[in-house]
Amino acid sequence: MAPVSRPRVPLTKRSVPRTVSRLLLVSLGVGALSLAGCSAEQTAQLGRLGLPVAASDRTPYTHNLWIGSWIAAFGVGVLVWGMIVWCVVRYRRRKPGVPRQNRYNLPIEILYTVTPFIMIGVLFYFTVITQDKVQAKVAKPDHVVTVVGQKWNWSFNYQEAGNPAVGKDVWESGTIEDPADLYLPVGESVRFDLKSVDVIHSFWVPAFYEKLDVLPGRNATIDLTPTKEGVFAGKCAELCGTYHSAMLFNVHIVSQDEYVAHLKSLAAKGQTGKLKSLEHPSAVPQRPEEAGTEETKQGEG
C-alpha cells in the first residue's frame, strides 16, 4: 500500500511575520542570558564595544569615532537585513513559473553605486577630524619623556632638569628579564619623544587609544594628559624580531608626589643624564646568547 502524502500547507501572510517574531524573541532571550553571565567589568567593556579603560584626555575623541562607526555600521546592517527579509517575504514563490524579470533598473544601480562613496566620504571626514584632535600638540607640555625602542625592551629618559622638584634628567632602561616601568603624573600634560636605535618598533599603550611607529633615524611625538590613576599595560605593536613578544612594560599613572619620588629613586641609583643607548647604540642590553653571537661575529671578522 502506497504511503499517503499530506498536502503541503501554503505559507500564509500571517505565518511569516509570526515566525520572524519568534526568531527575534529567541535571539533576544539568548542575548539576555549571555549578558546575565557577564561580570561587571565585562559588561562595562561591552558598553565600550571592546575598548579598554580610557586613561588620557585624547581617548574621548577615538571613543566617539569608534562608537559612531559601530552605530553607522549597525544602521546599514539593519537596512540591508531588512531589505533582504522584505524581499524574501514579499517576493516569495506563490505559483509555478518564473516571475517577470527586470534586466535594468538605472535608479537603483545609481543608488547602490553612489551610496557607498557617500558613506566612505563621511567616515573619512570624521576620521580626519578625530585624527587632528588626537595628534594636536601641546605648546608647553609639563613633562617630556624620551622613549627609546630597542631590541628587546624599552628605555625611558625623563627630561626633568628644569623641574625644581627633581632638578636633573633621569632614566630607566629595561631588559627582557627586567622590563622598565613608565611613570606618569596624573592630570599633567606629557610629551613622548619616540626614538629607535635599531629597527622599527611601535609604542602602544591600549588605555591611551593611540599608538605610533618608532622609526630609526626619525623622531615622532605623542602629546597627552593622563587622566586616570592606575597601572596599565604597554607593548610594542610592530613585529620587530625574535623577542618582539617580550617588549612589554607597565605604565604607572600616579600622583605628582609619587611621580617625583620615583624619579628621585632613579637619581639615587645614579641613573641621571642622557640614556647611553642614545649615545652608543651598542650599549643596548642584550641577552647572553646574543652577546656571545656578536662576539663570535666580531672575532670572525
Side-chain angles (χ1 to χ4, degrees), residues 27 47 57 81 85 215-216 222 231 235 242 287:
S27 301
D57 64 327
W81 299 330
V85 172
L215 307 176
I222 295 177
V231 181
K235 61 188 71 177
T242 307
R287 293 181 70 91

Side-chain angles (χ1 to χ4, degrees), residues 228-297:
K228 184 180 180 63
E229 292 190 21
V231 181
F232 305 92
K235 61 188 71 177
C236 176
E238 182 76 26
L239 183 59
C240 55
T242 307
Y243 298 104
H244 159 71
S245 60
M247 291 195 65
L248 307 174
F249 62 96
N250 286 325
V251 180
H252 299 257
I253 300 179
V254 297
S255 65
Q256 174 66 19
D257 292 340
E258 291 179 86
Y259 174 72
V260 171
H262 175 69
L263 298 192
K264 287 184 176 180
S265 69
L266 296 178
K269 298 176 183 177
Q271 297 173 199
T272 60
K274 191 176 182 180
L275 274 168
K276 293 181 179 179
S277 58
L278 290 175
E279 299 174 346
H280 306 287
S282 60
V284 174
Q286 295 179 321
R287 293 181 70 91
E289 59 267 29
E290 290 181 329
T293 303
E294 292 296 327
E295 292 175 359
T296 302
K297 290 182 179 179

